[in-house]
């Protein structure tokens, strides 16, 4: 009744932004991501008959706050699925996702937790079912079940049974890289859950966002298939800007960007003008992720590090899906 799994985080090129069902975590739109080799979580789950409640240790420290509640709620869901409602677990998680890099560790965290828990319970489920379950821990985590380029299909069913990720192209299809630009400022942000809810409810731009997704997805999938970097980068950058535009029109309005966020965005656009093919994307926080091809790595890293306010630049290749240790 014990298993260990490893899951990598992912960066969305077409963003998940807005839920149609908050408790089942059903999105308004399909999204598409690249799983990243450099950032991952390993999690061991052991179900023990003598436990009277779940316990959760993150990087060797016992967790008792809302993070514990999210983990325990997810375990409740998966043990219910297994028909073992009274069996509690000890969970040990180690994050290899630098918090400062601004990646949601919830993606790799819930994917590793779901995979380890399912295996510890001897659930013989396929990756599609695992992704469907993982989604209910954290939406973006359902994409981390697979490696390489991954699409999360929003699904049509009210019970969420057809809302899960599907692999689009494996990590070895194309050596595309991502630089995480770490900013020195860590001002408080609007949590993504709250941010997307407010946007869905109040932003007049939100319906345009949803309407524009099918075309972005068709275009980017075509670009991935044909390894057309300019096409993939341009669509990812535009899709990111559209997502952030919805927040500016929310009530009350908000933005995840800082001065340095904008300085990095401008620097990437200037690098492009000077012949370096690079494109940015930004999640629900101030840090910027830059897409580029391997030949430009050294120049790009150096240029990004020179921007005032940039603390570090951490690069990653495409990564694999779930594995078991
Ligand atoms: C994404 N983000 O597609 C988008 C882009 C942030 C901006 O998925 O509420 O932590 O647990 O489903 O997955 C962050 O949201 O939210 C996110 P929940 P999650 O990567």
């Amino acid at each position: 009744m014990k298993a260990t799994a490893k899951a990598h985080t992912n960066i969305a090129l077409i963003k998940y932004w807005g839920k149609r069902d908050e408790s089942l975590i059903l999105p308004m739109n399909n999204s598409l991501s690249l799983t990243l080799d450099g950032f991952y979580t390993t999690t061991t789950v052991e179900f023990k008959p003598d436990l009277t409640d779940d316990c959760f240790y993150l990087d060797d420290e016992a967790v008792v706050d809302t993070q514990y509640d999210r983990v325990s709620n997810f375990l409740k869901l998966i043990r219910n699925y297994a028909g073992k409602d009274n069996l509690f677990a000890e969970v040990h998680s180690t994050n290899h996702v630098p918090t400062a890099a601004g990646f949601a560790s919830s993606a790799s965290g819930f994917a590793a937790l779901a995979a380890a828990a399912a295996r510890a319970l001897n659930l013989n489920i396929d990756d599609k079912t695992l992704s469907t379950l993982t989604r209910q821990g954290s939406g973006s985590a359902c994409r981390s079940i697979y490696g390489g380029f991954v699409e999360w299909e929003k699904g049509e069913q009210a019970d969420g049974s057809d809302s899960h990720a599907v692999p689009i192209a494996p990590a070895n299809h194309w050596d595309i890289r991502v630089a995480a630009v770490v900013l020195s400022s860590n001002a408080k942000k609007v949590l993504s859950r709250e941010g997307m809810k407010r946007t869905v409810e109040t932003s007049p731009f939100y319906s345009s966002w949803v309407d524009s997704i099918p075309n972005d997805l068709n275009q980017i999938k075509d670009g991935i298939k044909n390894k057309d970097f300019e096409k993939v980068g341009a669509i990812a950058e535009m899709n990111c800007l559209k997502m952030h535009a919805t927040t500016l029109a929310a009530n009350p309005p908000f933005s995840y960007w800082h001065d340095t966020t904008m300085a990095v965005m401008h620097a990437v656009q200037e690098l492009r003008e000077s012949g370096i093919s690079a494109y940015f994307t930004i999640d629900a926080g101030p840090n910027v992720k830059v897409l580029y091809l391997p030949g430009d790595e050294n120049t790009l890293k150096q240029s990004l590090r020179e921007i005032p306010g940039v603390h570090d630049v951490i690069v990653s290749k495409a990564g694999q899906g779930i594995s078991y240790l």
Side-chain angles (χ1 to χ4, degrees), residues 10-12 14-17 19 25 31 70 104 106-107 135 137-141 143 152 192-193 196 243 282-284:
N10 66 76
I11 179 74
I14 304 293
K15 306 293 186 190
Y16 149 48
W17 195 242
K19 294 179 178 73
I25 312 197
S31 54
R70 280 185 72 182
S106 69
R135 186 202 78 231
S138 183
S140 54
R143 298 185 306 234
W152 173 10
S192 59
R193 242 173 222 203
M196 60 175 91
M243 178 203 119
I282 304 162
D283 284 332

Side-chain angles (χ1 to χ4, degrees), residues 4 37 44 46 67 137 158 174 219 231 237 301:
T4 301
D37 181 57
T44 300
E46 183 171 12
Q67 259 188 310
W174 190 15
Q219 297 284 330
K231 185 169 184 173
E237 191 170 296
K301 261 166 55 177

Side-chain angles (χ1 to χ4, degrees), residues 3-262:
T4 301
K6 174 181 178 182
H8 295 92
T9 192
N10 66 76
I11 179 74
L13 306 180
I14 304 293
K15 306 293 186 190
Y16 149 48
W17 195 242
K19 294 179 178 73
R20 65 179 198 273
D21 184 317
E22 283 173 22
S23 65
L24 286 173
I25 312 197
L26 295 176
M28 288 283 203
N29 64 277
N30 287 25
S31 54
L32 188 145
S33 60
L34 179 63
T35 302
L36 297 177
D37 181 57
F39 310 99
Y40 61 93
T41 301
T42 54
T43 297
T44 300
V45 176
E46 183 171 12
F47 287 93
K48 293 178 167 177
D50 55 322
L51 285 178
T52 54
D53 208 348
D54 298 312
C55 39
F56 173 42
Y57 299 86
L58 179 60
D59 298 327
D60 291 327
E61 301 237 4
V63 178
V64 288
D65 57 11
T66 52
Q67 259 188 310
Y68 170 84
D69 296 338
R70 280 185 72 182
V71 166
S72 182
N73 284 335
F74 183 75
L75 288 169
K76 191 172 164 186
L77 182 134
I78 202 155
R79 44 177 175 251
N80 181 265
Y81 184 89
K84 293 175 180 162
D85 281 320
N86 296 317
L87 197 53
F88 295 97
E90 186 173 318
V91 178
H92 289 266
S93 240
T94 309
N95 258 341
H96 301 267
V97 185
T99 315
F103 282 107
S105 55
S106 69
S108 54
F110 277 96
L113 176 68
R119 183 156 286 210
L121 287 166
N122 286 317
L123 286 180
N124 217 346
I125 52 173
D126 58 15
D127 282 350
K128 185 172 111 177
T129 310
L130 181 61
S131 176
T132 311
L133 285 168
T134 304
R135 186 202 78 231
Q136 295 169 72
S138 183
S140 54
C142 80
R143 298 185 306 234
S144 280
I145 299 302
Y146 299 103
F149 295 90
V150 181
E151 182 175 0
W152 173 10
E153 294 180 344
K154 69 185 180 70
E156 303 298 331
Q157 302 297 329
D159 66 358
S161 54
D162 59 350
S163 185
H164 54 76
V166 291
I168 296 294
N172 65 5
H173 166 68
W174 190 15
D175 189 5
I176 184 171
R177 306 228 174 138
V178 175
V181 185
V182 183
L183 312 187
S184 38
S185 160
N186 50 15
K188 206 173 151 187
K189 62 174 185 174
V190 180
L191 292 175
S192 59
R193 242 173 222 203
E194 157 62 17
M196 60 175 91
K197 181 170 155 59
R198 193 189 303 172
T199 308
V200 172
E201 287 171 358
T202 67
S203 176
F205 296 172
Y206 190 72
S207 57
S208 305
W209 157 261
V210 173
D211 292 345
S212 75
I213 298 294
N215 187 46
D216 286 5
L217 269 171
N218 280 338
Q219 297 284 330
I220 207 163
K221 284 199 271 192
D222 189 63
I224 292 166
K225 190 174 157 208
N226 296 312
K227 301 184 193 176
D228 181 341
F229 185 70
E230 274 66 38
K231 185 169 184 173
V232 168
I235 294 162
E237 191 170 296
M238 181 182 63
N239 184 269
C240 150
L241 290 170
K242 269 193 291 200
M243 178 203 119
H244 287 268
T246 67
T247 73
L248 294 175
N251 185 11
F254 63 104
S255 170
Y256 289 108
W257 300 350
H258 293 174
D259 292 0
T260 314
T261 311
M262 297 201 68

